[in-house]
């Protein structure tokens, strides 16, 4: 029984340390770039990150009723698979409320993504619109790589 309690105590200590580390990272991420490390990093690029992927959130338009999209669904899925096999779509999901789809795309130009998705049957028929969100690395993590000011 003592051994089990010792293991639990060690785990609790590790979790506490991990939680503290997470809290410190969060505080540094919020306050660090603007305050304590601002002198160590170039001011104009402290939050600049490269776009590495695009998040494409597709939502059915008012015209996108099941009667309209069901006949087009097989072609829509084939086009999605083609973009996946071409490496342009990394992951795809159905929104939980079934109002559309979400694609994680291996594309960095929003115009290219809209052009690719606009060629899909739903896009050509005006049944779905996409919101494109450029995403990249978490910029505040740079503070972990910066030497503290002396």
């Amino acid at each position: 029984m003592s051994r089990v309690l010792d293991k639990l105590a060690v785990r609790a200590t590790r979790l506490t340390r991990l939680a503290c580390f997470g809290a410190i990272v969060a505080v540094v991420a919020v306050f660090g770039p603007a305050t304590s490390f601002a002198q160590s990093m170039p001011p104009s690029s402290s939050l600049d990150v490269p776009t590495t992927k695009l998040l494409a959130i597709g939502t059915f338009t008012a015209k996108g009723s099941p009667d309209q999209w069901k006949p087009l669904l097989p072609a829509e899925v084939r086009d999605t698979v083609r973009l996946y096999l071409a490496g342009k779509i990394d992951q795809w999901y159905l929104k939980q409320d079934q109002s559309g789809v979400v694609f994680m795309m291996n594309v960095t130009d929003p115009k290219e993504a809209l052009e690719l998705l606009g060629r899909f049957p739903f896009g050509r028929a005006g049944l779905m619109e996409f919101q494109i969100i450029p995403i990249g690395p978490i910029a505040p993590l740079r503070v972990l790589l910066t030497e503290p000011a002396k």
Side-chain angles (χ1 to χ4, degrees):
M1 185 69 152
S2 170
R3 213 173 207 184
V4 171
L5 290 177
D6 288 342
K7 286 183 180 182
L8 287 175
V10 168
R11 286 183 184 167
T13 302
R14 287 180 182 162
L15 286 174
T16 302
R17 287 180 184 163
L18 182 61
C20 288
F21 177 73
I24 290 169
V25 169
V27 168
V28 169
V30 171
F31 297 109
T35 56
S36 64
F37 294 102
Q39 296 169 354
S40 302
M41 294 187 295
S44 64
S45 66
S46 65
L47 294 178
D48 293 342
V49 295
T51 297
T52 56
K53 291 188 181 281
L54 295 176
L55 182 65
I57 303 172
T59 305
F60 283 112
T61 64
K63 293 169 46 176
S65 67
D67 292 340
Q68 297 296 315
W69 61 257
K70 279 185 181 180
L72 301 174
L73 186 59
E76 183 82 8
V77 172
R78 282 191 297 275
D79 284 354
T80 303
V81 171
R82 283 186 188 104
L83 279 187
Y84 169 76
L85 293 173
K88 299 292 185 178
I89 292 179
D90 186 42
Q91 301 171 39
W92 66 76
Y93 302 93
L94 177 67
K95 292 167 58 176
Q96 284 294 323
D97 63 1
Q98 298 188 12
S99 65
V101 294
V102 177
F103 297 135
M104 183 67 64
M105 300 187 71
N106 292 323
V107 177
T108 58
D109 181 8
K111 289 179 185 176
E112 179 186 0
L114 285 172
E115 182 183 315
L116 291 168
L117 298 170
R119 293 181 198 159
F120 282 15
F122 288 2
R124 286 193 317 264
L127 304 178
M128 186 169 283
E129 297 175 332
F130 280 90
Q131 175 188 12
I132 305 295
I133 303 170
I135 57 176
I138 301 171
L141 290 176
R142 287 190 181 116
V143 300
L144 298 174
L145 304 175
T146 307
E147 294 295 322
K150 295 181 181 179

